[in-house]
Amino acid sequence: MSSKKHNVQGFFEEKFMPIAAKIGNQKHLIALRDGIMFTMPLLIIGSLFLILAELPIDAYQNFMASVFGANWQAFEGVALNGTMGIISLIAVFGIAYSLAGSYEVDGKPIDGIPAGVLSVAAFFIVNIVSVFGTGDDAVEAWGTSVFTSEYLFLAIVVSLSVAEIYRFLLQKKFVITMPKSVPPTVSRSFTALVPGFVIVVFFMLVRLGFSFTGWSDLATFVQSVLKKPIELAGSSYIGTVFACLFEHTLWSFGIHGSSIMTAVMEPIWISNAGANLEAFKAGAEQLPNIVTYSFYENGVWMGGSGATLAVVVYMLVFAKSKLVKQIGRLAIVPGIFNINEPVVFGLPVVLNPFLMIPYILAPIAVTTVSYFGTLIGIFPYTTGVIIPWTTPYFISGYLMTGGNVMGVVAQVVLFAVAFIIWLPFIRIWDKKNYISENQIEEPVTAAVQ
């Protein structure tokens, strides 16, 4: 049995881990992750204003109306437009900036700021222009929807393309080089001049080319051909479970699976959250998406990856071995805020074939129960608010469902599911460590006596 275990571990270490490590170090995925993070403060701030405006407590609503007037909730729309309403615009800069900055020219990192600025310009060039008004009063302008999460996939396509073109032109020396005596800000502008001209012309040609197709422009093509299949896959139960399995398998072998998985899935989940938010604000009875950013990162991450809050509670309350008790004490405070490195590396879960099983199974079970519980109407949908992933469990259930107590009830049920799956494994592991500790300590005690 031991030989078979080591063979399986050896296979993963030799075949699987190098591939996973390459995926984790892939520049475009890292740029997606880091670029999307540019939007996170705005998403959280906007969600905070939404929570404050929509908190379903009559006494609170009456108090706010008496202090700020009957139309006090108008601030919500202004705040949302200035935060969550511009995340595609922020992401198109952030992703291009991050990707360009990950490359080097002559041994020096590329300045990503010009790439980010040019990416914003390209985003406007290829985007849909709407006609407002009629007759002589008609004007062409960009509708505000193009800046929201609805067009996040277009922002990704544009930003990655701009960064690669910019990097290629710099590395091939298609730049105007200024003397060293010229101030850096001026030199930066001239360095970006030729690549910028090429990028603007390229995306104007792209727009012209798409005007001869049935899609009319790149934005429509991305929205109708690329976005829908990707969103369908990432929003489905099968797609979400696969992402969950992939994330936790990587973690089990010591690779930061969350950073890799979220780089791919977060754009989908944030876009889904935006759609839910629009429907929620419009008063829709049925929200469109079960799987959103909060569904996974505030629901499945119960105490962190692996749904480990349940096992931390067991270790703190019921464990007998000194090691497991000590890890429980160390892990409980971080676990409340969904940080679980003390469990993953201290118990340990990493490279531990026995504890890998509940570590992978528990979040998959939580995802399954949460998804189908929401689908059949037992649990509430998430409203699209984005709250920090470090928000303590049970509090997050209330906030992410628009102040619905059933969101907390759902998390209580999911906690029980995770606890049941972890229970037999942690009891055996605790007993194994307890026996081992006693076998070590008894001879020492006898010798002292």
Side-chain angles (χ1 to χ4, degrees):
M1 178 68 73
S2 178
S3 175
K4 185 176 180 181
K5 178 180 75 175
H6 287 297
N7 287 339
V8 173
Q9 182 173 320
F11 171 80
F12 272 92
E13 289 179 352
E14 181 182 350
K15 304 294 184 181
F16 182 73
M17 289 184 68
I19 296 173
K22 286 183 180 179
I23 295 173
N25 294 322
Q26 213 283 325
K27 289 181 182 292
H28 299 83
L29 289 180
I30 293 173
L32 274 179
R33 181 196 66 200
D34 294 346
I36 292 295
M37 286 305 296
F38 276 58
T39 71
M40 204 53 61
L42 294 181
L43 290 171
I44 293 171
I45 292 168
S47 295
L48 177 61
F49 276 97
L50 180 68
I51 292 168
L52 290 173
E54 303 292 341
L55 202 62
I57 301 174
D58 290 341
Y60 166 80
Q61 293 287 343
N62 293 336
F63 171 77
M64 295 297 284
S66 66
V67 174
F68 299 105
N71 296 324
W72 71 275
Q73 289 178 320
F75 77 84
E76 174 194 352
V78 175
L80 290 179
N81 288 338
T83 54
M84 302 178 81
I86 60 170
I87 65 167
S88 288
L89 203 57
I90 303 301
V92 79
F93 175 89
I95 295 169
Y97 168 83
S98 299
L99 181 56
S102 68
Y103 290 109
E104 294 183 350
V105 174
D106 297 330
K108 297 180 180 179
I110 293 175
D111 182 0
I113 292 177
V117 172
L118 291 169
S119 186
V120 173
F123 183 73
F124 276 95
I125 289 170
V126 300
N127 226 320
I128 300 168
V129 176
S130 302
V131 177
F132 297 89
T134 58
D136 295 336
D137 296 327
V139 294
E140 289 187 341
W142 288 276
T144 55
S145 65
V146 302
F147 308 134
T148 67
S149 62
E150 183 182 350
Y151 284 80
L152 190 55
F153 282 91
L154 177 65
I156 292 171
V157 171
V158 170
S159 57
L160 294 179
S161 302
V162 167
E164 285 295 347
I165 296 171
Y166 186 76
R167 181 270 310 170
F168 174 81
L169 293 173
L170 260 62
Q171 291 178 341
K172 296 300 180 181
K173 308 298 183 184
F174 287 104
V175 295
I176 298 174
T177 304
M178 302 298 290
K180 292 183 179 180
S181 59
V182 175
T185 52
V186 177
S187 179
R188 176 189 296 168
S189 300
F190 277 91
T191 299
L193 194 57
V194 173
F197 180 80
V198 173
I199 287 168
V200 168
V201 171
F202 173 78
F203 280 96
M204 287 178 68
L205 293 174
V206 168
R207 184 179 182 94
L208 177 63
F210 271 96
S211 69
F212 295 105
T213 69
W215 297 291
S216 73
D217 50 52
L218 178 63
T220 304
F221 172 77
V222 170
Q223 295 297 100
S224 59
V225 177
L226 299 182
K227 179 187 174 186
K228 287 184 179 178
I230 294 172
E231 278 192 341
L232 182 62
S235 305
S236 67
Y237 167 71
I238 297 298
T240 308
V241 165
F242 179 80
C244 185
L245 175 63
F246 181 74
E247 174 195 3
H248 290 88
T249 301
L250 290 181
W251 265 119
S252 298
F253 288 92
I255 298 172
H256 201 301
S258 302
S259 64
I260 299 172
M261 184 274 298
T262 55
V264 177
M265 303 302 288
E266 269 190 358
I268 301 171
W269 295 340
I270 290 174
S271 181
N272 287 353
N276 276 21
L277 182 61
E278 290 298 319
F280 178 73
K281 286 165 54 184
E285 293 184 6
Q286 181 69 49
L287 302 183
N289 298 297
I290 294 176
V291 182
T292 65
Y293 177 94
S294 297
F295 172 91
Y296 194 91
E297 300 200 8
N298 298 106
V300 178
W301 283 352
M302 180 196 308
S305 58
T308 53
L309 184 60
V311 75
V312 169
V313 170
Y314 176 90
M315 291 190 291
L316 190 67
V317 178
F318 301 109
K320 295 181 178 180
S321 79
K322 293 180 180 178
L323 172 66
V324 177
K325 277 185 177 180
Q326 183 64 21
I327 293 170
R329 295 190 194 102
L330 292 172
I332 186 61
V333 174
I336 290 172
F337 297 97
N338 300 319
I339 299 168
N340 67 349
E341 274 75 5
V343 177
V344 174
F345 296 103
L347 201 54
V349 172
V350 171
L351 297 178
N352 184 334
F354 183 68
L355 292 183
M356 283 181 189
I357 298 171
Y359 183 80
I360 295 172
L361 285 183
I364 290 177
V366 167
T367 301
T368 301
V369 173
S370 182
Y371 184 93
F372 288 102
T374 305
L375 183 66
I376 63 178
I378 299 175
F379 304 148
Y381 281 66
T382 59
T383 59
V385 298
I386 305 292
I387 54 179
W389 60 267
T390 52
T391 303
Y393 211 64
F394 305 125
I395 294 176
S396 63
Y398 182 77
L399 295 177
M400 70 187 186
T401 56
N404 192 329
V405 176
M406 284 303 295
V408 182
V409 173
Q411 288 191 325
V412 171
V413 172
L414 299 177
F415 180 90
V417 169
F419 189 88
I420 291 169
I421 291 175
W422 269 103
L423 182 60
F425 294 91
I426 192 59
R427 287 182 66 180
I428 292 171
W429 190 251
D430 181 39
K431 183 178 180 181
K432 178 178 179 295
N433 281 276
Y434 180 76
I435 292 172
S436 177
E437 289 166 358
N438 287 339
Q439 286 175 345
I440 293 171
E441 291 172 4
E442 287 174 1
V444 174
T445 305
V448 172
Q449 291 174 347

